[in-house]
Amino acid sequence: MKIDVCICTYQREAICHAMLSIDKQVLPSGASLRLIVIDNDLTPTAKERVEATAAKMTVPVKYVHAPSHNISIARNAGLDAADADWIAIMDDDEHAAPNWVRSLLGHAIEHDFDVVFGPAIARYPEGTPEWILARDYLSTFPEPRNGEYRTGPTNNTLMRAASPHIEGRRFLLEKGRTGGEDTAFFFDVWRSGGRLGMCETAIVYEDVDPARLEFDWLSRRKFRSGMTYGRSSLSANHPIFKLGLIALAAVKSCYCLIRAAAAISSPTKRNFWRLRGTFHKGVMSAFVGEEPELY
């Protein structure tokens, strides 16, 4: 049983830490692992550090240069380079617990899932605002809707390569700078009949970039997430349903603003309701304007 781990990188020295965590994976009997690192910079700036780190590892490493400044192009290059039974994905600013691959794989096989997600636990730098820590905004825990998982992020994911719902599917290039390419990808997998699940013991840890510890950055991400959710949810439905969802999002947005105003004295509660309202504004804006570029 072959497993390829794909990590896209862009000018981050942390890729070395991520790579070494893959070398420490404890695999089930009969499984083999390969690491594919995709460099998304215009010039191969990561090649030297990737090759130097690979020389210290027992897991084989393949370096791929996908110059574009577009994460979807890099992700697709990883899928093109993969030839294993299973494809795992994590980010270059993360490191995986030793049982990461084993937990994802065991959960996928036991429950016959096409895709399995795991939690990404944020590790915040000193000086992080208390209102961010209180709500743990930068950790990622995919959540089910109506009892089933319909989408999730690529920062902790395992896919069955030969699944008819995954084979040949690629990430949308137009979302390569806005983000949300993973949400749209897995929505389409679910919509085509794929089975998605969550393994809580398959953990990766992310060292948070201080630049993301600002309300404005979190707000832009929430707005874009709302737009991605709205477009993914609405695109395959009747126009009446679309109007109904937009109207519901408008009501929710107004409600959130009222709650935020009522919590004016509490940064934690106020910012929670402001960000939640921003998400619903994104849903309302799903058919007008362009998604903001985050990357």
Side-chain angles (χ1 to χ4, degrees):
M1 187 180 300
K2 296 168 59 180
I3 307 150
D4 281 336
V5 178
C6 293
I7 304 179
C8 298
T9 189
Y10 179 76
Q11 297 184 359
R12 275 189 176 144
E13 294 184 6
I15 182 60
C16 302
H17 194 194
M19 292 174 64
L20 292 174
S21 75
I22 299 305
D23 202 44
K24 297 176 182 177
Q25 293 299 300
V26 179
L27 300 177
S29 177
S32 64
L33 197 63
R34 180 179 65 152
L35 174 60
I36 303 172
V37 179
I38 308 96
D39 186 355
N40 200 209
D41 203 356
L42 293 178
T43 58
T45 53
K47 185 175 182 180
E48 185 176 341
R49 68 171 63 102
V50 168
E51 291 179 345
T53 305
K56 306 173 186 177
M57 299 171 56
T58 57
V59 170
V61 178
K62 180 180 179 64
Y63 171 84
V64 176
H65 185 215
S68 61
H69 287 184
N70 183 307
I71 189 61
S72 290
I73 289 177
R75 295 203 191 284
N76 291 341
L79 295 181
D80 292 341
D83 61 5
D85 305 293
W86 297 87
I87 302 171
I89 306 175
M90 60 178 273
D91 288 347
D92 62 348
D93 56 352
E94 297 174 339
H95 59 278
N99 69 336
W100 175 58
V101 168
R102 184 171 188 161
S103 296
L104 288 173
L105 184 62
H107 200 70
I109 293 174
E110 179 181 357
H111 299 282
D112 194 28
F113 286 131
D114 298 287
V115 178
V116 176
F117 305 109
I121 307 300
R123 289 187 167 175
Y124 297 95
E126 187 176 350
T128 298
E130 183 60 35
W131 65 268
I132 291 179
L133 294 175
R135 292 287 183 176
D136 194 13
Y137 284 106
L138 277 301
S139 290
T140 305
F141 302 92
E143 297 181 358
R145 293 184 63 84
N146 297 325
E148 62 178 346
Y149 289 89
R150 300 180 180 183
T151 190
T154 47
N155 61 357
N156 185 350
T157 306
L158 180 74
M159 302 187 291
R160 189 189 303 267
S163 165
H165 310 291
I166 293 171
E167 190 173 21
R169 190 180 298 280
R170 293 296 183 265
F171 293 89
L172 296 175
L173 300 186
E174 59 268 28
K175 291 186 175 294
R177 292 180 66 86
T178 64
E181 79 290 341
D182 44 6
T183 302
F185 182 95
F186 293 117
F187 250 131
D188 287 343
V189 170
W190 168 77
R191 189 176 287 116
S192 72
R195 300 188 68 243
L196 284 61
M198 170 73 173
C199 179
E200 295 184 359
T201 60
I203 298 173
V204 299
Y205 299 93
E206 177 182 347
D207 294 320
V208 176
D209 183 347
R212 300 184 178 185
L213 301 176
E214 300 287 343
F215 181 86
D216 286 348
W217 190 91
L218 291 170
S219 182
R220 290 196 302 273
R221 189 172 77 162
K222 280 288 186 180
F223 185 83
R224 187 269 301 158
S225 296
M227 290 191 76
T228 299
Y229 172 80
R231 289 176 176 175
S232 298
S233 298
L234 302 175
S235 59
N237 293 287
H238 193 277
I240 293 179
F241 178 82
K242 297 176 184 179
L243 292 174
L245 189 53
I246 293 172
L248 180 60
V251 171
K252 290 181 177 180
S253 180
C254 291
Y255 174 78
C256 290
L257 289 176
I258 294 171
R259 293 296 302 268
I264 190 68
S265 62
S266 169
T268 298
K269 293 180 180 179
R270 181 183 70 245
N271 289 336
F272 168 78
W273 287 110
R274 288 174 68 194
L275 290 171
R276 190 166 180 177
T278 298
F279 174 87
H280 294 303
K281 288 180 182 178
V283 175
M284 292 165 55
S285 303
F287 289 118
V288 295
E290 298 182 355
E291 297 179 61
E293 291 189 359
L294 292 181
Y295 308 105

